[in-house]
Amino acid sequence: MEKKLSPIRLDSYQPLREVVCETLRDAIRRGVLKPGERLMEIQLAEELGVSRTPVREAIRKLELEGYVIMMPRRGTYVANLSIRDVNEVFEIRTSLESLASGLAAERITDEELDHLQRLLVQIGMYIEQGDIEKIVEVDTEFHGLLYQASRNQRLIGIISNLREQLTQFRKTSMSFPGRLKATLEEHRAIVDAIAQGDVKAAQKAAEHHMEKSEQTLLTSMEAMKKKTQGE
């Protein structure tokens, strides 16, 4: 594994293992550490300027989040999600997104609803500007607030973990022609149903959003695969 990471700053208020975990997670998300790449504890520790212990702890946490795979007698690798993996994640996530949206329709506060509506305006503005970084940032905030409105902490934890497993593909999926505006309309349908307190409509809108998201991601993955094979 070639040297790819820089020493981390040790002046953070967070525990060292958390700082290391965030650093590695971000490197995987940005493609600095690529799918299928082997992760060597000693080398990572040297690059980050820390001991092996926080690296080992960070890797274990990243395994639980789905970012890495630890294979007995073979080592640790950055997860390389297959089409089957994506199908399985969306199969579960669709049900949970539907549940979260339905609960939000029953439990959301006026302040949260107003915040969701303002986030939709922001997403629309960034779409016009073509700022994909900001779109991803606000989209993450949108879903986080939607989950919060469900008032179910266990649901929030599980669904957030599943969403994290597909983070590395988010920008690619959103960059697919026409996907951004479609996503905005799908989000708006969810918020409109929640605003009306219509549980079934909110659930249906969330399911539709997940179906379209999965279709786009799979199409994008297939396109990336063909491009790689053609190089």
Side-chain angles (χ1 to χ4, degrees):
M1 187 176 75
E2 62 179 282
K3 182 176 176 59
K4 295 183 176 182
L5 305 176
S6 301
I8 61 176
R9 296 176 59 181
L10 301 177
D11 58 354
S12 172
Y13 65 89
Q14 294 178 296
L16 185 56
R17 64 178 179 277
E18 292 298 328
V19 178
V20 172
C21 188
E22 286 187 5
T23 300
L24 294 178
R25 186 190 294 116
D26 183 61
I28 293 172
R29 286 177 173 176
R30 293 186 292 111
V32 175
L33 297 176
K34 302 184 182 301
E37 182 173 342
R38 187 176 184 184
L39 301 180
M40 309 291 289
E41 283 184 14
I42 295 178
Q43 185 167 349
L44 289 173
E46 290 177 350
E47 291 185 23
L48 296 175
V50 299
S51 68
R52 291 180 64 182
T53 298
V55 172
R56 185 179 302 114
E57 293 173 342
I59 286 177
R60 286 173 180 165
K61 183 174 182 180
L62 292 173
E63 181 187 25
L64 292 175
E65 295 178 357
Y67 281 97
V68 305
I69 298 174
M70 299 178 71
M71 305 177 69
R73 298 183 298 280
R74 292 184 58 187
T76 302
Y77 297 82
V78 177
N80 189 1
L81 293 182
S82 65
I83 289 178
R84 180 180 178 181
D85 293 325
V86 172
N87 286 149
E88 289 182 350
V89 168
F90 270 100
E91 193 169 55
I92 301 170
R93 191 179 158 197
T94 298
S95 295
L96 297 183
E97 290 276 354
S98 175
L99 175 60
S101 296
L103 291 175
E106 296 178 325
R107 304 171 179 177
I108 196 167
T109 65
D110 290 340
E111 291 75 15
E112 288 169 336
L113 179 58
D114 179 67
H115 193 177
L116 279 179
Q117 292 170 333
R118 284 188 281 112
L119 289 176
L120 289 179
V121 174
Q122 288 183 38
I123 292 174
M125 178 182 69
Y126 290 130
I127 288 176
E128 293 299 322
Q129 296 174 359
D131 192 335
I132 192 68
E133 295 289 342
K134 283 294 184 180
I135 294 170
V136 170
E137 179 182 320
V138 180
D139 179 74
T140 299
E141 183 179 358
F142 174 88
H143 282 276
L145 182 57
L146 182 61
Y147 305 154
Q148 174 185 306
S150 74
R151 300 289 181 272
N152 188 314
Q153 291 303 313
R154 286 182 173 80
L155 172 61
I156 293 171
I158 296 171
I159 200 170
S160 296
N161 179 279
L162 286 170
R163 196 163 192 264
E164 286 284 351
Q165 293 182 35
L166 299 178
T167 297
Q168 60 182 297
F169 297 108
R170 195 169 300 165
K171 289 182 183 178
T172 301
S173 180
M174 286 188 170
S175 298
F176 195 80
R179 183 57 195 154
L180 286 177
K181 291 187 177 180
T183 296
L184 180 58
E185 292 307 312
E186 291 160 19
H187 282 177
R188 186 170 287 120
I190 295 172
V191 174
D192 287 346
I194 290 174
Q196 295 169 19
D198 191 329
V199 175
K200 289 187 177 181
Q203 293 175 332
K204 186 175 181 179
E207 290 168 4
H208 176 71
H209 176 50
M210 285 296 97
E211 289 170 2
K212 292 299 182 182
S213 296
E214 180 180 12
Q215 290 173 10
T216 303
L217 178 53
L218 292 175
T219 301
S220 299
M221 289 176 67
E222 191 62 34
M224 289 173 62
K225 181 179 179 181
K226 290 181 179 179
K227 181 179 179 181
T228 301
Q229 293 175 339
E231 292 178 349

